[in-house]
PDB file of all heavy atoms in Angstrom:
ATOM      1  N   GLY A  83      68.275  79.435  56.778  1.00 92.00           N
ATOM      2  CA  GLY A  83      69.584  80.124  56.961  1.00 92.00           C
ATOM      3  C   GLY A  83      70.582  79.580  56.040  1.00 92.00           C
ATOM      4  O   GLY A  83      71.711  80.103  56.069  1.00 92.00           O
ATOM      5  N   THR A 116      61.888  76.295  45.382  1.00 96.00           N
ATOM      6  CA  THR A 116      60.718  75.250  45.201  1.00 96.00           C
ATOM      7  C   THR A 116      60.422  75.554  43.806  1.00 96.00           C
ATOM      8  O   THR A 116      59.977  76.719  43.348  1.00 96.00           O
ATOM      9  CB  THR A 116      59.669  75.778  46.183  1.00 96.00           C
ATOM     10  OG1 THR A 116      60.100  75.574  47.459  1.00 96.00           O
ATOM     11  CG2 THR A 116      58.489  74.860  45.944  1.00 96.00           C
ATOM     12  N   ILE A 153      50.461 110.333  29.760  1.00 86.00           N
ATOM     13  CA  ILE A 153      51.674 110.911  29.228  1.00 86.00           C
ATOM     14  C   ILE A 153      52.991 110.235  29.650  1.00 86.00           C
ATOM     15  O   ILE A 153      53.901 110.363  28.888  1.00 86.00           O
ATOM     16  CB  ILE A 153      51.605 112.393  29.608  1.00 86.00           C
ATOM     17  CG1 ILE A 153      52.753 113.168  28.652  1.00 86.00           C
ATOM     18  CG2 ILE A 153      52.014 112.646  31.065  1.00 86.00           C
ATOM     19  CD1 ILE A 153      52.489 113.275  27.202  1.00 86.00           C
ATOM     20  N   GLU A 160      47.479 102.584  26.772  1.00 95.00           N
ATOM     21  CA  GLU A 160      46.678 102.185  25.691  1.00 95.00           C
ATOM     22  C   GLU A 160      46.685 100.604  25.442  1.00 95.00           C
ATOM     23  O   GLU A 160      45.767  99.984  24.954  1.00 95.00           O
ATOM     24  CB  GLU A 160      47.024 102.947  24.435  1.00 95.00           C
ATOM     25  CG  GLU A 160      46.803 104.387  24.699  1.00 95.00           C
ATOM     26  CD  GLU A 160      46.379 105.126  23.427  1.00 95.00           C
ATOM     27  OE1 GLU A 160      46.175 104.581  22.414  1.00 95.00           O
ATOM     28  OE2 GLU A 160      46.349 106.450  23.525  1.00 95.00           O
ATOM     29  N   GLY A 185      29.682 103.092  28.525  1.00 85.00           N
ATOM     30  CA  GLY A 185      29.668 103.472  29.836  1.00 85.00           C
ATOM     31  C   GLY A 185      30.888 103.838  30.660  1.00 85.00           C
ATOM     32  O   GLY A 185      31.949 103.890  30.013  1.00 85.00           O
ATOM     33  N   SER A 238      36.687  81.236  51.022  1.00 92.00           N
ATOM     34  CA  SER A 238      37.394  82.089  50.206  1.00 92.00           C
ATOM     35  C   SER A 238      38.912  82.297  50.522  1.00 92.00           C
ATOM     36  O   SER A 238      39.257  81.897  51.689  1.00 92.00           O
ATOM     37  CB  SER A 238      36.677  83.560  50.315  1.00 92.00           C
ATOM     38  OG  SER A 238      36.890  84.059  51.601  1.00 92.00           O
ATOM     39  N   ARG A 377      48.291 116.295  42.447  1.00 51.00           N
ATOM     40  CA  ARG A 377      49.282 117.286  42.573  1.00 51.00           C
ATOM     41  C   ARG A 377      49.680 117.865  41.284  1.00 51.00           C
ATOM     42  O   ARG A 377      49.573 117.178  40.134  1.00 51.00           O
ATOM     43  CB  ARG A 377      50.507 116.845  43.315  1.00 51.00           C
ATOM     44  CG  ARG A 377      50.200 116.129  44.620  1.00 51.00           C
ATOM     45  CD  ARG A 377      50.126 117.080  45.803  1.00 51.00           C
ATOM     46  NE  ARG A 377      49.690 116.453  46.951  1.00 51.00           N
ATOM     47  CZ  ARG A 377      50.544 116.197  48.064  1.00 51.00           C
ATOM     48  NH1 ARG A 377      51.830 116.441  47.967  1.00 51.00           N
ATOM     49  NH2 ARG A 377      50.106 115.556  48.996  1.00 51.00           N
ATOM     50  N   ASP A 386      42.343 114.602  30.743  1.00 47.00           N
ATOM     51  CA  ASP A 386      41.015 114.279  30.751  1.00 47.00           C
ATOM     52  C   ASP A 386      40.539 113.306  29.697  1.00 47.00           C
ATOM     53  O   ASP A 386      39.368 113.092  29.474  1.00 47.00           O
ATOM     54  CB  ASP A 386      40.205 115.593  30.536  1.00 47.00           C
ATOM     55  CG  ASP A 386      40.377 116.495  31.753  1.00 47.00           C
ATOM     56  OD1 ASP A 386      40.653 115.980  32.883  1.00 47.00           O
ATOM     57  OD2 ASP A 386      40.262 117.749  31.657  1.00 47.00           O
ATOM     58  N   ARG A 387      41.399 112.870  28.891  1.00 55.00           N
ATOM     59  CA  ARG A 387      40.996 111.964  27.765  1.00 55.00           C
ATOM     60  C   ARG A 387      41.477 110.589  27.719  1.00 55.00           C
ATOM     61  O   ARG A 387      41.464 109.881  26.729  1.00 55.00           O
ATOM     62  CB  ARG A 387      41.430 112.705  26.313  1.00 55.00           C
ATOM     63  CG  ARG A 387      40.841 114.098  26.392  1.00 55.00           C
ATOM     64  CD  ARG A 387      40.929 114.790  25.031  1.00 55.00           C
ATOM     65  NE  ARG A 387      42.261 115.100  24.659  1.00 55.00           N
ATOM     66  CZ  ARG A 387      42.678 115.199  23.414  1.00 55.00           C
ATOM     67  NH1 ARG A 387      41.811 115.178  22.349  1.00 55.00           N
ATOM     68  NH2 ARG A 387      43.906 115.622  23.187  1.00 55.00           N
ATOM     69  N   PRO A 389      42.345 107.111  30.660  1.00 80.00           N
ATOM     70  CA  PRO A 389      42.249 106.694  32.010  1.00 80.00           C
ATOM     71  C   PRO A 389      43.649 106.831  32.657  1.00 80.00           C
ATOM     72  O   PRO A 389      44.562 106.355  32.046  1.00 80.00           O
ATOM     73  CB  PRO A 389      41.862 105.185  31.967  1.00 80.00           C
ATOM     74  CG  PRO A 389      42.344 104.714  30.577  1.00 80.00           C
ATOM     75  CD  PRO A 389      42.332 105.918  29.679  1.00 80.00           C
ATOM     76  N   ARG A 392      46.731 105.328  37.553  1.00 81.00           N
ATOM     77  CA  ARG A 392      47.136 105.470  38.989  1.00 81.00           C
ATOM     78  C   ARG A 392      46.003 105.581  39.870  1.00 81.00           C
ATOM     79  O   ARG A 392      46.116 105.279  41.066  1.00 81.00           O
ATOM     80  CB  ARG A 392      48.090 106.667  39.096  1.00 81.00           C
ATOM     81  CG  ARG A 392      47.460 107.972  38.925  1.00 81.00           C
ATOM     82  CD  ARG A 392      48.445 109.148  39.183  1.00 81.00           C
ATOM     83  NE  ARG A 392      47.846 110.353  39.200  1.00 81.00           N
ATOM     84  CZ  ARG A 392      47.551 111.163  38.157  1.00 81.00           C
ATOM     85  NH1 ARG A 392      47.806 110.692  36.933  1.00 81.00           N
ATOM     86  NH2 ARG A 392      47.067 112.321  38.252  1.00 81.00           N
ATOM     87  N   LYS A 541      68.400  85.802  62.888  1.00 30.00           N
ATOM     88  CA  LYS A 541      67.265  86.143  63.698  1.00 30.00           C
ATOM     89  C   LYS A 541      66.047  86.467  62.899  1.00 30.00           C
ATOM     90  O   LYS A 541      66.221  87.096  61.871  1.00 30.00           O
ATOM     91  CB  LYS A 541      67.591  87.458  64.454  1.00 30.00           C
ATOM     92  CG  LYS A 541      66.580  87.797  65.470  1.00 30.00           C
ATOM     93  CD  LYS A 541      65.703  88.983  64.999  1.00 30.00           C
ATOM     94  CE  LYS A 541      66.194  89.581  63.617  1.00 30.00           C
ATOM     95  NZ  LYS A 541      65.240  90.328  63.107  1.00 30.00           N
ATOM     96  N   TYR A 542      64.956  85.768  63.131  1.00 32.00           N
ATOM     97  CA  TYR A 542      63.719  85.989  62.591  1.00 32.00           C
ATOM     98  C   TYR A 542      62.790  86.448  63.599  1.00 32.00           C
ATOM     99  O   TYR A 542      62.809  86.055  64.879  1.00 32.00           O
ATOM    100  CB  TYR A 542      63.177  84.877  61.841  1.00 32.00           C
ATOM    101  CG  TYR A 542      63.939  84.451  60.599  1.00 32.00           C
ATOM    102  CD1 TYR A 542      64.519  83.256  60.432  1.00 32.00           C
ATOM    103  CD2 TYR A 542      64.064  85.376  59.556  1.00 32.00           C
ATOM    104  CE1 TYR A 542      65.178  82.884  59.352  1.00 32.00           C
ATOM    105  CE2 TYR A 542      64.840  85.019  58.476  1.00 32.00           C
ATOM    106  CZ  TYR A 542      65.413  83.767  58.337  1.00 32.00           C
ATOM    107  OH  TYR A 542      66.074  83.505  57.127  1.00 32.00           O
ATOM    108  N   MET A 544      59.846  85.768  64.169  1.00 25.00           N
ATOM    109  CA  MET A 544      58.837  84.765  64.706  1.00 25.00           C
ATOM    110  C   MET A 544      59.510  83.488  65.223  1.00 25.00           C
ATOM    111  O   MET A 544      58.911  82.455  65.294  1.00 25.00           O
ATOM    112  CB  MET A 544      57.834  84.411  63.487  1.00 25.00           C
ATOM    113  CG  MET A 544      56.910  85.610  63.283  1.00 25.00           C
ATOM    114  SD  MET A 544      55.647  85.076  62.204  1.00 25.00           S
ATOM    115  CE  MET A 544      56.549  84.695  60.733  1.00 25.00           C
TER     116      MET A 544
ATOM    117  N   GLY B  67      44.403 107.214  21.881  1.00 92.00           N
ATOM    118  CA  GLY B  67      43.681 106.155  20.971  1.00 92.00           C
ATOM    119  C   GLY B  67      44.541 105.791  19.788  1.00 92.00           C
ATOM    120  O   GLY B  67      44.139 104.867  19.061  1.00 92.00           O
ATOM    121  N   THR B 100      57.051 107.045  26.199  1.00 96.00           N
ATOM    122  CA  THR B 100      57.842 108.212  26.876  1.00 96.00           C
ATOM    123  C   THR B 100      59.105 107.465  27.375  1.00 96.00           C
ATOM    124  O   THR B 100      59.014 106.608  28.199  1.00 96.00           O
ATOM    125  CB  THR B 100      57.100 108.747  28.030  1.00 96.00           C
ATOM    126  OG1 THR B 100      55.823 109.274  27.514  1.00 96.00           O
ATOM    127  CG2 THR B 100      57.797 109.884  28.614  1.00 96.00           C
ATOM    128  N   ILE B 137      58.735  78.139  52.670  1.00 86.00           N
ATOM    129  CA  ILE B 137      58.715  76.872  51.916  1.00 86.00           C
ATOM    130  C   ILE B 137      58.461  77.069  50.429  1.00 86.00           C
ATOM    131  O   ILE B 137      58.848  76.188  49.540  1.00 86.00           O
ATOM    132  CB  ILE B 137      57.785  75.899  52.455  1.00 86.00           C
ATOM    133  CG1 ILE B 137      57.986  74.490  52.047  1.00 86.00           C
ATOM    134  CG2 ILE B 137      56.320  76.171  52.336  1.00 86.00           C
ATOM    135  CD1 ILE B 137      59.372  73.930  52.274  1.00 86.00           C
ATOM    136  N   GLU B 144      65.204  84.024  51.653  1.00 95.00           N
ATOM    137  CA  GLU B 144      66.502  84.232  52.264  1.00 95.00           C
ATOM    138  C   GLU B 144      67.332  85.130  51.537  1.00 95.00           C
ATOM    139  O   GLU B 144      68.193  85.925  52.087  1.00 95.00           O
ATOM    140  CB  GLU B 144      67.333  82.815  52.430  1.00 95.00           C
ATOM    141  CG  GLU B 144      66.466  81.987  53.250  1.00 95.00           C
ATOM    142  CD  GLU B 144      67.331  80.900  54.014  1.00 95.00           C
ATOM    143  OE1 GLU B 144      68.522  81.034  53.936  1.00 95.00           O
ATOM    144  OE2 GLU B 144      66.764  80.072  54.633  1.00 95.00           O
ATOM    145  N   GLY B 169      66.957  91.974  67.721  1.00 85.00           N
ATOM    146  CA  GLY B 169      65.521  92.349  67.990  1.00 85.00           C
ATOM    147  C   GLY B 169      64.607  91.879  66.980  1.00 85.00           C
ATOM    148  O   GLY B 169      64.788  91.059  66.047  1.00 85.00           O
ATOM    149  N   GLY B 171      63.401  93.671  64.489  1.00 91.00           N
ATOM    150  CA  GLY B 171      63.346  94.451  63.278  1.00 91.00           C
ATOM    151  C   GLY B 171      63.759  93.688  62.134  1.00 91.00           C
ATOM    152  O   GLY B 171      64.141  92.506  62.165  1.00 91.00           O
ATOM    153  N   SER B 222      54.887 116.427  50.694  1.00 92.00           N
ATOM    154  CA  SER B 222      55.119 115.083  50.535  1.00 92.00           C
ATOM    155  C   SER B 222      54.573 114.490  49.327  1.00 92.00           C
ATOM    156  O   SER B 222      53.615 115.201  48.782  1.00 92.00           O
ATOM    157  CB  SER B 222      54.526 114.283  51.869  1.00 92.00           C
ATOM    158  OG  SER B 222      53.245 114.458  51.945  1.00 92.00           O
ATOM    159  N   LYS B 228      47.369 109.599  49.646  1.00 89.00           N
ATOM    160  CA  LYS B 228      46.627 108.367  49.206  1.00 89.00           C
ATOM    161  C   LYS B 228      46.547 107.314  50.312  1.00 89.00           C
ATOM    162  O   LYS B 228      45.476 106.700  50.565  1.00 89.00           O
ATOM    163  CB  LYS B 228      47.164 107.856  47.898  1.00 89.00           C
ATOM    164  CG  LYS B 228      46.332 106.891  47.173  1.00 89.00           C
ATOM    165  CD  LYS B 228      46.842 106.779  45.760  1.00 89.00           C
ATOM    166  CE  LYS B 228      46.401 105.579  45.079  1.00 89.00           C
ATOM    167  NZ  LYS B 228      46.817 105.403  43.599  1.00 89.00           N
ATOM    168  N   ARG B 361      45.505  80.259  57.080  1.00 51.00           N
ATOM    169  CA  ARG B 361      44.628  79.077  56.641  1.00 51.00           C
ATOM    170  C   ARG B 361      45.515  77.881  56.606  1.00 51.00           C
ATOM    171  O   ARG B 361      46.755  78.050  56.253  1.00 51.00           O
ATOM    172  CB  ARG B 361      43.980  79.458  55.333  1.00 51.00           C
ATOM    173  CG  ARG B 361      43.222  80.654  55.179  1.00 51.00           C
ATOM    174  CD  ARG B 361      41.804  80.463  55.754  1.00 51.00           C
ATOM    175  NE  ARG B 361      41.037  81.650  55.722  1.00 51.00           N
ATOM    176  CZ  ARG B 361      40.043  81.931  54.828  1.00 51.00           C
ATOM    177  NH1 ARG B 361      39.715  81.139  53.937  1.00 51.00           N
ATOM    178  NH2 ARG B 361      39.474  83.104  54.993  1.00 51.00           N
ATOM    179  N   ASP B 370      57.710  78.793  61.634  1.00 47.00           N
ATOM    180  CA  ASP B 370      58.060  79.559  62.872  1.00 47.00           C
ATOM    181  C   ASP B 370      59.590  79.954  62.820  1.00 47.00           C
ATOM    182  O   ASP B 370      59.991  80.535  63.836  1.00 47.00           O
ATOM    183  CB  ASP B 370      57.792  78.666  64.149  1.00 47.00           C
ATOM    184  CG  ASP B 370      56.486  78.520  64.362  1.00 47.00           C
ATOM    185  OD1 ASP B 370      55.572  79.263  63.898  1.00 47.00           O
ATOM    186  OD2 ASP B 370      56.029  77.544  65.051  1.00 47.00           O
ATOM    187  N   ARG B 371      60.266  79.610  61.852  1.00 55.00           N
ATOM    188  CA  ARG B 371      61.731  79.871  61.806  1.00 55.00           C
ATOM    189  C   ARG B 371      62.195  80.756  60.761  1.00 55.00           C
ATOM    190  O   ARG B 371      63.362  80.935  60.516  1.00 55.00           O
ATOM    191  CB  ARG B 371      62.422  78.468  61.812  1.00 55.00           C
ATOM    192  CG  ARG B 371      61.955  77.745  63.137  1.00 55.00           C
ATOM    193  CD  ARG B 371      63.024  76.588  63.267  1.00 55.00           C
ATOM    194  NE  ARG B 371      62.902  75.561  62.184  1.00 55.00           N
ATOM    195  CZ  ARG B 371      63.723  74.697  61.905  1.00 55.00           C
ATOM    196  NH1 ARG B 371      64.874  74.560  62.719  1.00 55.00           N
ATOM    197  NH2 ARG B 371      63.704  73.746  60.965  1.00 55.00           N
ATOM    198  N   PRO B 373      60.975  84.458  58.248  1.00 81.00           N
ATOM    199  CA  PRO B 373      59.883  85.606  58.013  1.00 81.00           C
ATOM    200  C   PRO B 373      58.923  85.134  56.951  1.00 81.00           C
ATOM    201  O   PRO B 373      59.498  84.725  55.879  1.00 81.00           O
ATOM    202  CB  PRO B 373      60.685  86.800  57.806  1.00 81.00           C
ATOM    203  CG  PRO B 373      62.010  86.357  57.191  1.00 81.00           C
ATOM    204  CD  PRO B 373      62.325  85.009  57.742  1.00 81.00           C
ATOM    205  N   LYS B 525      36.405 105.106  24.358  1.00 30.00           N
ATOM    206  CA  LYS B 525      35.744 105.700  25.364  1.00 30.00           C
ATOM    207  C   LYS B 525      36.617 105.599  26.672  1.00 30.00           C
ATOM    208  O   LYS B 525      37.082 104.581  27.075  1.00 30.00           O
ATOM    209  CB  LYS B 525      34.388 104.882  25.697  1.00 30.00           C
ATOM    210  CG  LYS B 525      33.588 105.461  26.832  1.00 30.00           C
ATOM    211  CD  LYS B 525      33.577 104.656  28.190  1.00 30.00           C
ATOM    212  CE  LYS B 525      34.429 103.405  28.031  1.00 30.00           C
ATOM    213  NZ  LYS B 525      34.893 103.017  29.429  1.00 30.00           N
ATOM    214  N   TYR B 526      36.778 106.731  27.361  1.00 32.00           N
ATOM    215  CA  TYR B 526      37.461 106.729  28.629  1.00 32.00           C
ATOM    216  C   TYR B 526      36.522 107.290  29.591  1.00 32.00           C
ATOM    217  O   TYR B 526      35.662 108.097  29.332  1.00 32.00           O
ATOM    218  CB  TYR B 526      38.720 107.509  28.565  1.00 32.00           C
ATOM    219  CG  TYR B 526      39.908 107.009  27.754  1.00 32.00           C
ATOM    220  CD1 TYR B 526      40.340 107.675  26.691  1.00 32.00           C
ATOM    221  CD2 TYR B 526      40.279 105.711  28.160  1.00 32.00           C
ATOM    222  CE1 TYR B 526      41.415 107.132  25.922  1.00 32.00           C
ATOM    223  CE2 TYR B 526      41.353 105.122  27.374  1.00 32.00           C
ATOM    224  CZ  TYR B 526      41.878 105.882  26.299  1.00 32.00           C
ATOM    225  OH  TYR B 526      42.881 105.398  25.528  1.00 32.00           O
ATOM    226  N   MET B 528      36.869 109.326  31.926  1.00 25.00           N
ATOM    227  CA  MET B 528      37.002 110.731  32.206  1.00 25.00           C
ATOM    228  C   MET B 528      37.032 111.669  31.003  1.00 25.00           C
ATOM    229  O   MET B 528      37.469 112.767  31.076  1.00 25.00           O
ATOM    230  CB  MET B 528      38.353 110.955  32.988  1.00 25.00           C
ATOM    231  CG  MET B 528      38.178 110.327  34.375  1.00 25.00           C
ATOM    232  SD  MET B 528      39.586 110.701  35.422  1.00 25.00           S
ATOM    233  CE  MET B 528      40.936 110.021  34.435  1.00 25.00           C
TER     234      MET B 528
END
Side-chain angles (χ1 to χ4, degrees):
Chain A
T116 300
I153 192 63
E160 298 208 10
S238 67
R377 302 274 176 109
D386 290 337
R387 302 195 291 163
R392 71 179 187 276
K541 180 259 353 158
Y542 289 120
M544 290 189 297
Chain B
T100 300
I137 192 64
E144 298 208 9
S222 67
K228 192 165 166 179
R361 301 274 176 108
D370 290 337
R371 301 195 291 165
K525 180 252 4 155
Y526 290 120
M528 290 188 298

